[in-house]
Amino acid sequence: MVPDISTGSRTYGLLKYLYGPGRRDEHTDPHRVASWMPGLAPDPGRDLSATIKQLTDRLDLPVLALPKNRRPARHVWHCPVRTAPGDRHLTDTEWAEVARRIVHATGIAEEGDDKACRWIAVRHADDHIHLVATLVREDGRRPRRHQDGIRAQAECREIEKEFGLQILNGGDRTAAQRPTSAERSKAQRFGRTETPRETLRESVRHALAGAASEEEFFHRLAEAGLRVEQRIAPSGDTLGYKVALPGDRNRDGQPVWFSGSKLAPDLSLPRIRQRLDAGRPDDEPVTDHFDERVPRPDHARRQAAPVAERAVSILDGDDDEDSAAQLAGVGELLDALAQTAPASTRRELAEAARAFERATRSHIRAERADNRAIRSAARGIIRAGNALGKGEDGGTTAMLLSTMVLVTIAAVHWHFARGHAQQAAAAQEAAQHLRSAYRSAASAPMGVMREQGRLLPEPVRERYAGTLESVLPEQANAARRESGWDALAATLDQAERAGHDPEDLLQRAIDWRELDTADNVTDVLVWRLRRIGKLPAIMDSPRARTNVRAAQSRPHPTPPLAPETVVETHRADPRPRGPRR
C-alpha cells in the first residue's frame, strides 16, 4: 500500500479531476467513502443535487475564515493511497477505515480532535482512494504534520499486516523525490515516456560518472544539452547549481529548473564535492579531457572487471563506510556502461543503472572512504566511448557483465543484512537486468567457445574434466552438466597453448572468490580464466580456423610456415606445453 503526499493551491481543480472521467475515461463511479463529517460533506458522485463547488466551499471554509495575509499559499493536502498489484480489492468500508487511520497518523485529523482539518476520501477505481484535506484547522491553526510522509508509510505497513495485503518495503528518507502528479500529467500531454525530473536525474548521474573534477562535471552537463545555471557567491565560489530540459517551460514561458538536491539527495553540489574530493580517479591531474589518451572500449572493460570484483570482496567485509563508497562507485560504473553500451544490451543496462541508483543511497555515509579505483574504471569506459558489441569488444563486455551480476548480488546481501529493504530490492532488480544483458552479450563469444570445446579430441576433454575434478571436487559434476562446460574446456586448452598450467590457472580462478552466488559456475570461470591468463575475450570460430588451415595447405609462391608453428597454434596436444623460448 503506497501513500503519495503532495500539496497544492486549488481545491476545486483537484476535486473536479477526482470526480471527473479522468484523462482517459479511467475513472469509474467516483464517490465519497469517508470524510471529516459526512453530514457536512456533499458527495457530487452519488448525490445528483450536490456540486463540486459546494464541496469545495465546505472544505475551504476554515481557510477562507482567515485574513488573506494569513492564508497558506498551498493549502490543499493530497494523498492518493494505492494497494499493490495483485492485492485484493478492498471494500468501501475498508477504504474508509484506511482513510481515517492515515489522516490520524499524519496529523491531519487525529481521532477525537473536533477542531481538526476538514478532509474527504474519494474512490474512483478498485485499487486506490484519494485523500483531500485543507491545511487550516477549525480553530484557525495549522496542523502538526511534520514527517507526514514517513508516518503515512508506517501506518500503511500496519494496515497491510492487518488486512492481509502485500507488506511493502518501508522508506528511510534516502530515496530520490518522485515526480508529482502534475509532472506526470504534463509528460503525458507532451508524449514523453518519463518526466523532466527523471530525465534530468539520469543525465546528471551520467555527467558525474567518473568525472575527475567539478569543472568536468559541469562541462559534461553542458555537452549533454542541458540548461545549466550555477549559483555564484560574491567571492566567485560556486554555491549550487540547477538544470532544466530545453523546451520544458512553465505557464509563464520560463524554464522549469531543478536543483541537484531536488533530483536526488546525493546530487546536491556539496554531496557531489564530497565524492570528487575523496580523490580524483587514479589521482590524475585535472586536464582538458580532450587531450587525454583514449583507451579502446574492450581494454577499458577488461580493466574494469577486476576492480568490480574487488568491490564484491569489500561488500563481503565488515567496513560499512568502505562498502558504501564502493556502492556509489558501482552506480557510476553502471551509469558509464549504460551510456556506452552496444545496441544489444543498451536497454537492459539502462534499466539496471536506473534500478541500482536507489541501492547507492542509505544512511551509511562514506565521506572518508576511497573508491578511486572503481571511479577510474567508470572514467575509462566513458573516455573509451561507445562499444560495438562484436569481436573482442563484445567478449570483454560479457566478461565485465558477468562480474557486475556478482557485484549486485553482493549489494543485495549487504543491504539486506543491514535492514535496507528498499535498497536490497533495487539491487535485486538491477541484478535481473544485468543477467539479461549478460546473456545477450555472451551469446556470440560463448557460442564460439562452446563449439571449439566440442571439437576437442575426447582424451583432451577428459583430461580437462579431471583437472576440474581435482580442483573443484564438490561442484565438478554439476559444472560439467552446465551449458558452459564446453567453453571452459576450450578456454583451458587455449590457456595451455599460451603457456599456462591449466590446473594452476583454474585453481587461481576458483580461489579469486566463492562461486556459490554464481548463476552459472562455468561461465564465471571462463571469464576469470581469460582475465587472469590475459587471453583474448573471444576465439576464432572453428570454421575460420579450418579455413586458415586449408589456406596454408595450398601452394604458395612463398615458403609455408614452419611445421612447429602450425602445430603450436592449431594442434590439440594432450601434453602440457610451456611458453616457447
Side-chain angles (χ1 to χ4, degrees):
M1 185 171 284
V2 181
D4 185 11
I5 295 173
S6 61
T7 59
S9 59
R10 297 180 65 244
T11 309
Y12 181 86
L14 177 57
L15 291 176
K16 186 175 181 180
Y17 166 74
L18 297 181
Y19 277 100
R23 295 181 177 87
R24 294 179 297 276
D25 294 325
E26 71 274 20
H27 295 175
T28 58
D29 185 24
H31 61 282
R32 183 196 68 207
V33 295
S35 70
W36 85 99
M37 189 177 292
L40 290 181
D43 183 10
R46 295 273 176 92
D47 184 352
L48 297 180
S49 64
T51 65
I52 294 175
K53 178 67 165 56
Q54 290 173 338
L55 180 56
T56 300
D57 291 343
R58 298 285 176 86
L59 284 168
D60 281 348
L61 185 60
V63 179
L64 298 175
L66 292 176
K68 286 187 176 182
N69 62 344
R70 289 185 53 202
R71 296 173 189 173
R74 301 179 68 84
H75 70 277
V76 183
W77 184 86
H78 179 209
C79 179
V81 184
R82 187 181 302 272
T83 53
D87 276 338
R88 66 181 178 86
H89 294 159
L90 304 185
T91 65
D92 279 1
T93 301
E94 289 174 315
W95 275 123
E97 181 181 346
V98 170
R100 285 189 288 268
R101 290 178 62 167
I102 288 179
V103 294
H104 169 78
T106 55
I108 294 297
E110 296 181 2
E111 187 176 352
D113 183 358
D114 59 357
K115 301 297 183 182
C117 296
R118 296 187 173 193
W119 62 275
I120 186 171
V122 178
R123 182 180 189 182
H124 56 208
D126 291 330
D127 63 348
H128 70 278
I129 60 171
H130 289 260
L131 288 164
V132 180
T134 46
L135 295 175
V136 175
R137 292 165 46 89
E138 298 281 4
D139 56 12
R141 295 186 293 117
R142 302 292 298 276
R144 297 177 180 176
R145 46 180 289 263
H146 178 62
Q147 295 186 338
D148 54 355
I150 294 176
R151 288 188 281 167
Q153 288 276 1
E155 188 63 28
C156 283
R157 301 295 83 77
E158 294 300 319
I159 293 171
E160 288 162 353
K161 294 176 187 176
E162 296 175 24
F163 282 36
L165 306 175
Q166 296 180 55
I167 300 176
L168 304 183
N169 297 324
D172 62 358
R173 302 188 70 186
T174 61
Q177 185 173 331
R178 300 198 313 182
T180 65
S181 58
E183 291 171 5
R184 290 192 293 266
S185 299
K186 182 179 177 181
Q188 290 175 354
R189 291 197 305 272
F190 284 90
R192 296 192 181 110
T193 57
E194 60 183 12
T195 64
R197 183 191 299 270
E198 294 166 307
T199 302
L200 290 168
R201 181 186 304 136
E202 185 169 290
S203 297
V204 173
R205 290 185 66 86
H206 284 182
L208 183 57
S213 67
E214 189 175 319
E215 292 75 15
E216 183 178 357
F217 166 66
F218 284 119
H219 180 75
R220 288 186 183 180
L221 289 178
E223 277 190 328
L226 305 183
R227 290 176 175 269
V228 185
E229 274 195 12
Q230 299 180 45
R231 187 158 56 91
I232 308 296
S235 63
D237 297 327
T238 302
L239 301 178
Y241 75 100
K242 57 184 180 180
V243 290
L245 279 183
D248 183 29
R249 297 181 179 276
N250 59 24
R251 64 181 64 185
D252 298 323
Q254 299 300 313
V256 180
W257 296 100
F258 292 87
S259 64
S261 60
K262 293 296 184 183
L263 298 176
D266 57 342
L267 294 182
S268 67
L269 188 57
R271 294 289 294 276
I272 287 174
R273 282 173 172 162
Q274 286 177 1
R275 190 182 302 188
L276 296 175
D277 291 344
R280 299 188 183 97
D282 285 342
D283 283 333
E284 61 186 27
V286 180
T287 62
D288 184 345
H289 65 284
F290 292 111
D291 295 332
E292 296 173 8
R293 185 169 55 88
V294 178
R296 297 192 314 272
D298 62 295
H299 178 72
R301 282 158 168 72
R302 182 181 282 271
Q303 292 293 101
V307 178
E309 194 139 358
R310 178 177 175 269
V312 180
S313 300
I314 293 173
L315 289 168
D316 287 344
D318 299 324
D319 190 331
D320 279 1
E321 186 173 310
D322 200 2
S323 295
Q326 294 302 311
L327 289 171
V330 171
E332 291 196 34
L333 190 54
L334 283 173
D335 284 328
L337 286 170
Q339 293 179 71
T340 60
S344 59
T345 58
R346 187 174 302 143
R347 186 180 67 83
E348 292 291 352
L349 282 175
E351 292 297 329
R354 290 190 191 104
F356 197 81
E357 182 252 358
R358 182 67 184 92
T360 63
R361 291 191 304 273
S362 70
H363 287 299
I364 299 174
R365 297 293 181 85
E367 284 88 349
R368 296 178 299 278
D370 185 349
N371 64 356
R372 283 173 293 181
I374 198 163
R375 294 197 71 245
S376 180
R379 180 175 180 77
I381 288 172
I382 293 290
R383 288 165 53 200
N386 292 339
L388 299 177
K390 299 178 180 179
E392 184 74 7
D393 184 56
T396 52
T397 296
M399 178 187 294
L400 178 54
L401 293 181
S402 173
T403 305
M404 294 304 293
V405 172
L406 296 179
V407 176
T408 51
I409 291 173
V412 172
H413 295 163
W414 188 85
H415 280 304
F416 184 79
R418 287 152 185 82
H420 304 163
Q422 290 193 353
Q423 291 88 338
Q428 183 65 55
E429 182 183 348
Q432 294 300 332
H433 288 296
L434 283 169
R435 287 186 176 98
S436 297
Y438 167 76
R439 286 192 291 268
S440 178
S443 176
M446 289 296 288
V448 171
M449 285 187 273
R450 284 195 293 268
E451 192 174 357
Q452 287 279 18
R454 286 191 289 267
L455 291 177
L456 290 173
E458 194 58 32
V460 177
R461 288 170 55 86
E462 287 301 317
R463 181 161 58 85
Y464 293 140
T467 300
L468 181 64
E469 177 71 32
S470 66
V471 297
L472 198 66
E474 296 180 357
Q475 295 175 268
N477 289 333
R480 289 190 65 184
R481 292 192 294 271
E482 291 182 352
S483 60
W485 159 242
D486 293 320
L488 179 59
T491 298
L492 289 170
D493 181 65
Q494 188 178 16
E496 188 171 14
R497 293 177 180 281
H500 296 286
D501 181 322
E503 183 170 339
D504 176 69
L505 193 66
L506 187 58
Q507 186 66 62
R508 288 169 58 194
I510 292 169
D511 291 343
W512 193 297
R513 65 167 276 105
E514 52 81 24
L515 293 166
D516 296 337
T517 55
D519 294 332
N520 191 306
V521 170
T522 49
D523 277 27
V524 171
L525 288 176
V526 162
W527 299 120
R528 287 186 189 175
L529 288 169
R530 293 190 168 277
R531 190 167 70 245
I532 297 171
K534 295 182 172 55
L535 302 176
I538 58 166
M539 300 177 69
D540 292 335
S541 68
R543 185 176 304 171
R545 291 166 65 97
T546 301
N547 291 342
V548 169
R549 187 180 293 111
Q552 290 174 345
S553 65
R554 298 191 192 104
H556 289 275
T558 56
L561 294 173
E564 60 267 29
T565 304
V566 176
V567 170
E568 177 67 21
T569 305
H570 299 290
R571 186 173 64 85
D573 189 344
R575 296 173 299 174
R577 184 179 298 275
R580 296 195 57 173
R581 304 290 184 185

